[in-house]
């Protein structure tokens, strides 16, 4: 106990300190409380909503963990129309959500690039440029990132999945290079986006030291936004049986993710951190627990119910029978129960982004 408390009191954590804090579940409540204090001081207790639009499950990649990987023949593929995406983005804007997130399987063919560019222009036009738009559409070229930025997107999420190249290569086909992932993330930052990344927590063979290095990677790369959550096996993927008895370890997996979120908050202080849906998949109160461990962003799904079944990245993804209205009502209730406020009609930008560009 004393060692845990001594470390928590420090202003700067060494790599060993981080490893220790992540590995000790016994005193984790103290860690969560400290992370919450830091969050209150640096970003406040407003929770910002991002309306998540899952625009397509068509994907050119074959990531071993992901339910919408190209090789999964057991799902029906869908692609929302331009009108549907724009309508959802406007719904999110009018509902007072700080921004919409356009997420989908990875494609880089010219037709797709044009399609997204047109969608962005339409959303920007219909909201007089006032709606925040975040993209989560994988690795693209500098030209594509720039075109999408000019069309109205201003934030981009690209998880590195793991900062350990060996783990990265273990969970991706040989054609996917860790170096390309990092290069893409740097391009996003260079183009001028508020830049988000993240990892999966609790991957096979991932150690506490790996997770500490993930956090140090975020810090070294001056990341503005983090979205990370527990790894959850999907039954139709090569990693379906990565663990013998995942159900029995689900709560531990969740708590590990919460500790990594908490340490990230204490170290990165003024960034935005999402309380991911994967937390909620392991516990119906997972996202609220994420907020109390230092996260300040929630991405309510605004995709129509009929498409949700087709976007199961992992097993047990919640909200399958909800629509955007019922998601909103359920979330409002549970967030108020945590004592936090919802930052309606605010963009809720990452304060870190402005510090970063000021110091350039
Ligand atoms: N478990 C947890 N997260 C997953 N993702 C994909 N598959 C899984 C899984 N099985 C995450 C990846 C990806 C994001 C969109 O979803 O980190 O970047």
């Amino acid at each position: 106990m004393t060692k845990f408390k001594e470390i928590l009191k420090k202003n700067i954590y060494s790599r060993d300190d981080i490893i220790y804090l992540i590995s000790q579940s016994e005193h984790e409540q103290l860690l969560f409380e400290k992370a919450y204090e830091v969050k209150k001081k640096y970003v406040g207790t407003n929770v910002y909503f991002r309306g998540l639009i899952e625009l397509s499950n068509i994907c050119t990649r074959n990531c071993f963990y992901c339910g919408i990987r190209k090789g999964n023949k057991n799902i029906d593929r869908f692609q929302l129309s331009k009108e549907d995406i724009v309508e959802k983005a406007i719904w999110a804007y009018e509902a007072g959500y700080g921004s919409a997130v356009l997420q989908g399987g990875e494609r880089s063919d010219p037709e797709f690039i044009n399609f997204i560019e047109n969608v962005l222009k339409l959303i920007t036009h219909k909201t007089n440029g006032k709606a925040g738009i975040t993209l989560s559409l994988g690795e693209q070229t500098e030209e594509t990132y720039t075109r999408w930025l000019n069309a109205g997107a201003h934030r981009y999420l690209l998880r590195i999945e793991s900062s350990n190249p060996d783990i990265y290569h273990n969970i991706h086909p040989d054609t996917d290079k860790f170096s390309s992932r990092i290069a893409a993330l740097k391009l996003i930052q260079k183009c001028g986006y508020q830049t988000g990344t993240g990892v999966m927590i609790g991957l096979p063979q991932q150690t506490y030291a790996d997770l500490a290095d993930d956090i140090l990677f975020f810090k070294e790369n001056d990341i503005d936004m983090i979205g990370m959550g527990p790894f959850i096996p999907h039954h139709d993927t090569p990693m379906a049986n990565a663990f013998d008895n995942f159900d029995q370890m689900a709560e531990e997996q969740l708590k590990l993710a919460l500790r990594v979120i908490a340490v990230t908050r204490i170290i990165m202080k003024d960034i935005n951190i999402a309380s991911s849906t994967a937390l909620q998949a392991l516990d119906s109160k997972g996202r609220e627990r994420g907020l109390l461990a230092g996260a300040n962003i929630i991405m309510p799904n605004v995709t129509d119910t009929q498409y949700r079944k087709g976007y199961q990245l992992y097993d047990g993804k919640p909200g399958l029978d909800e629509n955007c209205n019922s998601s909103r009502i359920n979330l409002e209730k549970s967030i108020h129960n945590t004592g936090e406020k919802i930052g309606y009609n605010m963009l809720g930008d990452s304060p870190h982004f402005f510090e970063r560009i000021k110091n350039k």
Side-chain angles (χ1 to χ4, degrees):
M1 179 67 141
T2 344
K3 180 171 176 192
F4 197 87
K5 279 192 171 162
E6 286 304 315
I7 295 177
L8 273 187
K9 268 195 260 163
K10 290 189 181 179
N11 287 325
I12 293 176
Y13 294 166
S14 68
R15 180 172 181 268
D16 283 342
D17 292 338
I18 299 175
I19 295 172
Y20 189 80
L21 292 176
I22 296 174
S23 63
Q24 302 295 307
S25 62
E26 203 184 327
H27 311 303
E28 63 189 10
Q29 200 46 41
L30 293 174
L31 176 68
F32 300 154
E33 282 162 20
K34 163 111 192 214
Y36 196 77
E37 283 306 306
V38 172
K39 159 171 137 167
K40 230 166 46 187
K41 183 161 166 203
Y42 287 87
V43 295
T45 54
N46 266 341
V47 183
Y48 299 102
F49 282 180
R50 317 296 189 212
L52 179 62
I53 304 171
E54 296 163 339
L55 56 88
S56 172
N57 62 1
I58 301 170
C59 193
T60 54
R61 296 253 179 173
N62 232 342
C63 309
F64 297 159
Y65 45 84
C66 184
I68 67 166
R69 64 199 301 272
K70 185 171 87 186
N72 183 4
K73 303 284 178 243
N74 293 331
I75 51 172
D76 294 328
R77 302 286 166 172
F78 71 88
Q79 159 77 57
L80 298 192
S81 68
K82 192 161 68 184
E83 293 72 26
D84 278 346
I85 302 172
V86 173
E87 184 202 308
K88 286 296 166 201
I90 290 174
W91 184 92
Y93 175 67
E94 289 178 347
Y97 291 10
S99 73
V101 181
L102 308 190
Q103 189 183 80
E106 187 169 315
R107 276 177 61 185
S108 349
D109 52 285
E111 190 190 337
F112 183 74
I113 295 166
N114 287 335
F115 176 80
I116 297 295
E117 186 177 42
N118 288 333
V119 165
L120 291 169
K121 283 184 181 161
L122 262 176
I123 299 172
T124 307
H125 175 71
K126 294 207 172 190
T127 57
N128 294 321
K130 289 198 187 119
I133 313 177
T134 306
L135 298 178
S136 176
L137 299 170
E139 290 176 41
Q140 306 289 344
T141 62
E142 180 167 4
E143 191 208 331
T144 302
Y145 288 139
T146 306
R147 275 174 63 186
W148 289 349
L149 185 82
N150 291 338
H154 65 139
R155 303 182 184 132
Y156 205 106
L157 304 169
L158 183 80
R159 288 189 179 180
I160 51 159
E161 314 300 357
S162 170
S163 65
N164 177 334
D166 293 333
I167 296 181
Y168 185 88
H169 288 125
N170 277 341
I171 62 174
H172 295 97
D174 290 345
T175 39
D176 295 358
K177 296 276 170 274
F178 179 71
S179 53
S180 316
R181 194 87 185 157
I182 302 299
L185 186 67
K186 296 209 163 154
L187 272 182
I188 290 167
Q189 214 168 28
K190 179 181 151 208
C191 288
Y193 285 96
Q194 290 183 40
T195 305
T197 191
V199 294
M200 283 180 287
I201 300 162
L203 288 163
Q205 279 137 43
Q206 188 182 44
T207 64
Y208 294 126
D210 289 322
L211 290 165
D213 289 338
D214 291 340
I215 299 174
L216 293 171
F217 173 94
F218 304 151
K219 177 91 184 154
E220 273 154 29
N221 287 280
D222 229 352
I223 292 300
D224 308 309
M225 322 182 288
I226 296 289
M228 58 187 170
F231 162 68
I232 304 171
H234 182 287
H235 63 280
D236 269 330
T237 62
M239 286 171 70
N241 301 313
F243 296 106
D244 286 340
N245 215 332
F246 187 77
D247 286 350
Q248 274 173 27
M249 57 179 276
E251 174 65 13
E252 285 312 308
Q253 187 86 335
L254 172 65
K255 294 200 314 182
L256 174 63
L258 293 174
R259 294 198 295 278
V260 176
I261 287 176
V263 178
T264 304
R265 167 60 70 201
I266 296 170
I267 290 183
M268 302 282 288
K269 299 197 177 9
D270 61 349
I271 62 170
N272 279 343
I273 303 181
S275 197
S276 62
T277 313
L279 294 170
Q280 193 194 354
L282 296 183
D283 172 14
S284 59
K285 291 274 161 280
R287 284 192 300 189
E288 293 75 2
R289 291 169 74 181
L291 296 177
L292 296 173
N296 67 326
I297 302 289
I298 285 194
M299 294 160 62
N301 197 338
V302 300
T303 317
D304 277 342
T305 320
Q306 67 187 113
Y307 298 113
R308 294 191 184 197
K309 233 178 40 255
Y311 206 85
Q312 295 292 292
L313 307 182
Y314 42 81
D315 285 346
K317 191 159 166 248
L320 277 189
D321 52 355
E322 286 184 346
N323 59 33
C324 49
N325 285 306
S326 57
S327 287
R328 177 184 164 146
I329 293 163
N330 290 340
L331 255 179
E332 271 184 0
K333 266 199 230 131
S334 63
I335 288 174
H336 284 136
N337 287 340
T338 64
E340 306 242 297
K341 298 182 296 295
I342 301 168
Y344 280 129
N345 297 308
M346 286 187 256
L347 278 174
D349 283 311
S350 161
H352 186 80
F353 173 71
F354 299 105
E355 285 301 309
R356 175 162 72 78
I357 52 175
K358 203 168 75 192
N359 296 331
K360 269 252 166 94

